[in-house]
Amino acid sequence: MAPYVLVAPLLGLIFIFAILPAALALFLTFFETDILAGTMRFVGTANFARAADRGNVLNSLRVTFLYTVLTVPPSMILGLSIALAINGLRRGRMFWQAVYFLPVAATLVAMSIVWRWMFVGRKGIIDQTFGQAIGLTDWLNSPVLSLPAVAIVGNWQQIGFVVILYLAALTAVPRHLLEAARVDGAGAWSRFWHVTWPSIGPTTVFVGIITSVDALRVFDTISTMTGGGPSRSSQTLAHLMWERGIYFFDIGGGSVVTLVLLALALAATAVQRLLTARLERAGTR
């Protein structure tokens, strides 16, 4: 019984904070709840039909998918590149680690407010410099540019986390294999592809899953910078869930969006595991 006793507290927390809320969300999707009156009325699948008819869920699905594409691959590629560069430094490694980790430690809501000021149309530093150079201005008020603007902030905040994870993984790469490859005449790219990349496979799987799930449930940046607008062009599932369930007191509708978000997160995790299953086996890509 000792193993079961030791894991019982963790299983209890998982049940209270993960399984029970998910079951409660599923239960609430079949009811119309009036918080002010304190009443609940069974409506069957009416909440699902209402969510589908409005089209907001499909739009938020599209926006969430685009945000994931704009943040997960860039943050992983840039994070790995920066980690390799820092790992190769002879001096100043701790300084650059602290520099790239600062966005992770900072409060994202406060930083989002700063970024919103930077993106102010025609007056912000983005429009005054980068925007004028490429001819793109007033990002947050554009249905086309609002989501990329939020994605820039998401990458800025997430890259530091990826860098730290990859730096930890690079310290575990077998040094004798790297030295053997160098002695055999392998170049920098060959050493990375045949030695380093297979060794950091499990970390790549973990980073991919964590960044994907974080992208699927992004809320604070969207709420602070665009509020889901303009014209719902940057409204993700997490923001729609808050809007339906909290802002409009539509508990049933918010629960439907919650289930969609949960299913999407589970599907993303499953796909990520399948696509990178070979990375978890030692010595394979």
Side-chain angles (χ1 to χ4, degrees):
M1 293 298 296
Y4 299 99
V5 172
L6 291 174
V7 300
L10 178 59
L11 293 178
L13 292 175
I14 292 176
F15 176 79
I16 294 173
F17 293 105
I19 299 177
L20 188 60
L24 181 60
L26 177 61
F27 173 78
L28 290 173
T29 57
F30 299 103
F31 290 85
E32 181 179 321
T33 305
D34 190 332
I35 296 179
L36 299 179
T39 59
M40 295 180 64
R41 183 172 61 90
F42 181 78
V43 293
T45 59
N47 287 323
F48 291 91
R50 184 157 48 91
D53 290 340
R54 286 175 176 167
N56 294 340
V57 174
L58 293 178
N59 175 72
S60 295
L61 271 172
R62 180 185 61 83
V63 173
T64 303
F65 175 76
L66 289 176
Y67 180 84
T68 303
V69 171
L70 290 173
T71 55
V72 174
S75 64
M76 292 184 65
I77 294 172
L78 291 175
L80 177 58
S81 302
I82 294 171
L84 290 170
I86 295 177
N87 191 61
L89 294 177
R90 294 181 179 271
R91 297 179 180 178
R93 291 182 58 182
M94 296 299 296
F95 170 77
W96 288 110
Q97 288 180 27
V99 167
Y100 281 101
F101 191 72
L102 281 176
V104 182
T107 303
L108 189 54
V109 173
M111 292 298 100
S112 297
I113 295 175
V114 175
W115 276 97
R116 186 181 64 189
W117 290 341
M118 293 172 62
F119 275 106
V120 170
R122 296 179 297 277
K123 296 181 180 179
I125 188 173
I126 301 296
D127 280 7
Q128 292 292 329
T129 56
F130 182 72
Q132 289 185 355
I134 62 176
L136 299 176
T137 59
D138 203 8
W139 291 50
L140 298 184
N141 292 319
S142 169
V144 177
L145 299 177
S146 59
L147 188 62
V150 176
I152 290 174
V153 181
N155 280 299
W156 170 82
Q157 195 268 341
Q158 199 160 243
I159 284 175
F161 178 68
V162 176
V163 168
I164 296 301
L165 292 178
Y166 272 125
L167 282 174
L170 290 173
T171 60
V173 176
R175 297 299 174 187
H176 65 281
L177 294 180
L178 290 173
E179 291 299 329
R182 186 178 289 105
V183 170
D184 290 340
W189 170 253
S190 295
R191 293 196 303 271
F192 168 78
W193 184 245
H194 294 287
V195 180
T196 304
W197 180 244
S199 299
I200 62 176
T203 300
T204 301
V205 175
F206 177 76
V207 170
I209 292 175
I210 293 299
T211 53
S212 297
V213 173
D214 284 346
L216 292 176
R217 60 185 182 88
V218 62
F219 169 78
D220 39 12
T221 310
I222 299 290
S223 179
T224 304
M225 294 185 64
T226 66
S231 302
R232 300 187 181 274
S233 60
S234 62
Q235 186 173 57
T236 58
L237 283 171
H239 189 273
L240 178 63
M241 177 181 63
W242 168 83
E243 182 185 74
R244 301 311 311 170
I246 305 300
Y247 190 79
F248 291 122
F249 292 131
D250 183 7
I251 304 301
S255 299
V256 170
V257 181
T258 302
L259 289 185
V260 174
L261 183 59
L262 176 61
L264 194 60
L266 292 176
T269 303
V271 170
Q272 187 79 19
R273 294 285 296 184
L274 289 175
L275 292 178
T276 56
R278 292 185 62 191
L279 289 173
E280 294 183 302
R281 297 196 294 269
T284 62
R285 231 165 259 102

